[in-house]
Amino acid sequence: MSDLPETKLLQLFDVLYEVRSVTKAAGRLGQSQPTISIWLGRLRQQVGDPLFVRTPGAMTPTPRADSLIGPCREILSSLSRLTSAESAFDPATAGRRFRICMTDASHITLLPPLLARVRALAPGVRLEADRIDSATEQALTTGAADLAIGYAPWLGGVIATQPLFEQDWVCLASPRHPRVHDRLGRRRYVAEGHVSITAGTGATLLHRALTKQGIERRVVLELPGFLGLGAIIGSTDLLATLPRHIGTTLAHGNDLALWPCPLPVDRFEVGQYWHPRFDNEPGSRWLRDLVTELFGSVATAG
């Protein structure tokens, strides 16, 4: 074990952080459980920290482990690119991981069709969804993330951008709403109770539009994201104002009424973002082309 490559320890740390189990890590890495325990002991000795402590049902990472997982994954990603010597990317045989930063709305609208297409074309490829936030630019720059998809106007500087589709705003209501029947006008909109989604990069545009028009909605419920929104709207007389793509998806999935937003709210453009260092990297280019095929102008307004 004295000649154990450092990359094996990095791979162990990465997998163990994900699965939180020595047994599962052994299966993932194709090693015996005693071997993984020995490797973990070596890793703990080198780092000078237990890294994972046993708790009921799992192994919980220590604060030191939380601080190291990002740099560890950046190193593994860089090593993967260095050793693959890719003159081409063959999705049918590729065994690669792509990390994509996206909003929780994109988890509902974009991730399912993207995952389905990746599984059909590249069964050995693994996708990881991460948040799109203030750390995304650094992640794209270092290669810790391969791609970001969403509305992220703060991703400036040298980050490359490709527009995908434009979003306007819609309102969701129960089809059995007692006061909204054949239309949703401005006066009715202002008079009704609302669910406010506080997260999402487009929420700032909605807030700005309401403030500019001097409108203060009667907010009954605030949610940090879209989880559970469809069921809430379907079982109450509340309204929700949200971008068209997520609104249409929730309306179809929960049998909700969909109305044009009766107030003027700025449109915005959803795009994909990457660092120009990876313009010609075959795997990254394949992924971007796939995203364009699926979502460019919402696949020609499909």
Side-chain angles (χ1 to χ4, degrees):
M1 296 295 294
S2 59
D3 58 349
L4 178 65
E6 298 296 327
T7 52
K8 291 290 187 182
L9 297 183
L10 292 175
Q11 290 168 354
L12 170 63
F13 181 49
D14 179 25
V15 171
L16 196 54
Y17 192 91
E18 178 186 351
V19 301
R20 311 294 170 91
S21 163
V22 169
T23 301
K24 292 180 181 179
R28 178 76 64 85
L29 295 172
Q31 301 289 336
S32 67
Q33 186 169 335
T35 296
I36 293 299
S37 296
I38 293 172
W39 289 8
L40 179 57
R42 177 74 58 82
L43 183 61
R44 283 167 165 166
Q45 183 179 20
Q46 291 192 8
V47 175
D49 186 90
L51 295 175
F52 302 93
V53 296
R54 294 191 180 278
T55 56
M59 296 184 70
T60 302
T62 66
R64 178 66 169 156
D66 288 334
S67 70
L68 290 175
I69 189 60
C72 170
R73 286 174 171 170
E74 289 177 21
I75 292 170
L76 289 173
S77 179
S78 298
L79 287 173
S80 174
R81 292 188 176 96
L82 181 65
T83 58
S84 58
E86 299 146 321
S87 57
F89 178 82
D90 181 5
T93 60
R96 177 167 168 178
R97 173 174 62 188
F98 290 106
R99 181 171 290 128
I100 306 174
C101 300
M102 15 175 51
T103 64
D104 66 333
S106 294
H107 291 172
I108 299 171
T109 59
L110 305 184
L111 188 55
L114 177 58
L115 178 61
R117 186 64 63 86
V118 167
R119 293 190 69 190
L121 298 178
V125 164
R126 169 180 163 191
L127 297 183
E128 290 187 3
D130 204 351
R131 293 179 299 178
I132 186 168
D133 55 22
S134 59
T136 298
E137 184 168 349
Q138 177 67 13
L140 293 173
T141 301
T142 62
D146 297 279
L147 195 65
I149 305 175
Y151 170 62
W154 69 85
L155 289 178
V158 299
I159 298 299
T161 307
Q162 179 193 358
L164 293 173
F165 58 90
E166 192 176 61
Q167 292 259 52
D168 62 348
W169 293 80
V170 297
C171 295
L172 291 181
S174 167
R176 297 167 295 280
H177 196 289
R179 293 171 298 280
V180 178
H181 303 292
D182 57 345
R183 66 183 296 270
L184 176 62
R186 179 188 179 102
R187 291 181 61 183
R188 175 54 54 198
Y189 178 91
V190 174
E192 293 298 322
H194 292 259
V195 178
S196 174
I197 307 299
T198 58
T201 48
T204 302
L205 296 178
L206 176 60
H207 176 74
R208 185 185 304 158
L210 294 172
T211 301
K212 183 178 180 179
Q213 297 170 66
I215 294 174
E216 185 174 351
R217 295 179 298 173
R218 182 167 59 87
V219 174
V220 177
L221 174 66
E222 287 190 358
L223 292 177
F226 298 96
L227 182 63
L229 178 62
I232 291 169
I233 295 299
S235 60
T236 68
D237 62 352
L238 301 177
L239 305 179
T241 308
L242 61 174
R244 178 173 295 275
H245 204 189
I246 179 65
T248 301
T249 301
L250 290 177
H252 289 168
N254 295 272
D255 191 26
L256 302 176
L258 185 74
W259 303 97
C261 180
L263 308 175
V265 183
D266 287 344
R267 294 169 174 255
F268 63 94
E269 204 161 49
V270 173
Q272 60 175 336
Y273 305 81
W274 69 96
H275 196 279
R277 292 196 299 123
F278 305 105
D279 276 348
N280 297 315
E281 196 278 312
S284 296
R285 192 169 62 243
W286 173 82
L287 180 63
R288 296 196 304 270
D289 288 346
L290 191 61
V291 169
T292 302
E293 176 190 337
L294 287 171
F295 309 121
S297 296
V298 190
T300 62

